[in-house]
Amino acid sequence: MMKIIAVTACPAGVAHTYMAKKALEDAAAKLGHTIKVEAQGAFGIENEITQKEVADADVVILAVAVGIAKTERFKGKLTVNIPINTAIKSPENLIKKIEEKFNALE
Amino acid sequence: MSVISDEFILLNTKFTSRDEAFKGAALKLYNAGRITDINKFIEGIYEREKLFSTYMENGIAIPHCKIKEVKEATVVIIRNSKPLVWQNEEIANIMIILAIPAENPDNIHLRILANIAQALLNKDFVDVIKNTNNAEAIIDKFRVINSVSNN
């Protein structure tokens, strides 16, 4: 089991930001991982990731199509940058691939 | 004014290109006072499409734009009789078009748009959009999903 944190963001901040958030949450739950997804969209920063959650996380997923705020939080963490569409179209494959990478590290 | 209403759900349309479908949606929005400029709206959609394609999968695309010429957050749902060429190799027959106001956006209505986008990940919702000939059925299904996800 991995502890995942993720940030989603897209140009309009209304459609893909929230689709990617839900897709990642559903896929992580299905595959037995914990996840917290912060959305940086039209409503500002929602479900903000705390310092403690960053410290505890095994991996950071950035599914962003625009510049995002507060990236300095993730300095030094294992970070996976992906196109936001990947998070929406094949979230389970994505998480499985990350899992392989993660397991190979240990 | 509702974000989602049967007035903006167009089923079994006969558009022959996505451009025509965008124009059809824009005209509908303009005539209802939801946007103030048809051309700006269509340009906005193409501008957004340039950043990255809004084609999802299963023949569904979610074109949208956020511009000041949108006065009220609105979704236009188009199910075309024939699949239309999107870009690259993609073809779509369902378009979920989001008109997003850039000025004074009302959070409640924007939230409904975001929830509609999220609902497209729900297979039951997509099945209703694909199969029903009744616009109300789409709205009802969305209401159910929306109320469950907000609890």
Side-chain angles (χ1 to χ4, degrees):
Chain A
M1 191 202 80
M2 298 184 291
K3 283 184 184 162
I4 305 169
I5 53 176
V7 179
T8 62
C10 67
V14 173
H16 293 80
T17 301
Y18 297 94
M19 290 164 91
K21 179 175 190 291
K22 178 149 179 36
L24 288 173
E25 287 168 348
D26 290 352
K30 193 174 166 194
L31 297 171
H33 303 291
T34 67
I35 192 165
K36 174 154 179 184
V37 185
E38 174 180 298
Q40 294 194 15
F43 311 100
I45 297 182
E46 291 177 297
N47 204 33
E48 185 165 353
I49 294 164
T50 65
Q51 278 305 331
K52 182 170 187 311
E53 285 162 342
V54 174
D56 290 348
D58 296 312
V59 59
V60 184
I61 299 175
L62 299 181
V64 301
V66 287
I68 54 164
K70 301 189 177 182
T71 48
E72 67 282 356
R73 288 175 293 178
F74 308 127
K75 207 179 162 198
K77 303 294 292 188
L78 175 62
T79 302
V80 183
N81 286 283
I82 50 146
I84 194 163
N85 262 339
T86 305
I88 296 168
K89 289 181 183 175
S90 49
E92 287 185 31
N93 272 342
L94 167 74
I95 289 174
K96 280 179 193 160
K97 273 189 197 155
I98 294 172
E99 201 173 3
E100 281 169 24
K101 245 192 204 175
F102 176 68
N103 289 336
L105 288 177
E106 293 190 329
Chain B
M1 287 207 252
S2 309
V3 175
I4 181 166
S5 71
D6 57 3
E7 183 188 353
F8 299 109
I9 298 178
L10 316 177
L11 301 174
N12 308 319
T13 51
K14 309 274 185 214
F15 296 118
T16 58
S17 67
R18 71 171 183 173
D19 197 53
E20 225 177 59
F22 294 161
K23 283 181 185 148
L27 191 62
K28 200 98 185 140
L29 289 165
Y30 181 80
N31 286 337
R34 302 292 181 111
I35 63 172
T36 57
D37 189 319
I38 290 174
N39 290 330
K40 286 267 166 58
F41 183 74
I42 295 168
E43 273 168 32
I45 284 190
Y46 280 112
E47 282 298 309
R48 169 60 192 79
E49 216 58 45
K50 260 193 232 164
L51 296 174
F52 62 94
S53 170
T54 66
Y55 180 80
M56 286 177 59
E57 54 192 355
N58 295 325
I60 301 173
I62 178 166
H64 55 277
C65 66
K66 186 180 186 176
I67 53 170
K68 66 177 175 18
E69 288 80 5
V70 173
K71 294 300 160 195
E72 300 281 342
T74 311
V75 59
V76 181
I77 297 176
I78 294 177
R79 188 181 72 211
N80 205 49
S81 305
K82 276 192 333 196
L84 303 173
V85 176
W86 203 250
Q87 49 198 54
N88 309 323
E89 301 290 296
E90 301 151 345
I91 49 168
N93 76 315
I94 293 173
M95 277 156 274
I96 313 293
I97 302 173
L98 308 181
I100 309 167
E103 282 181 349
N104 309 313
D106 159 350
N107 272 0
I108 297 166
H109 289 153
L110 276 196
R111 180 66 67 184
I112 295 171
L113 283 186
N115 290 352
I116 289 168
Q118 273 193 343
L120 294 172
L121 300 171
N122 181 306
K123 192 180 172 298
D124 292 347
F125 184 56
V126 171
D127 282 347
V128 173
I129 294 177
K130 285 197 166 188
N131 298 314
T132 188
N133 286 314
N134 175 4
E136 281 299 329
I138 295 174
I139 299 170
D140 287 346
K141 191 75 200 170
F142 172 67
R143 283 206 190 101
V144 171
I145 294 165
N146 196 34
S147 66
V148 171
S149 67
N150 283 347
N151 285 340

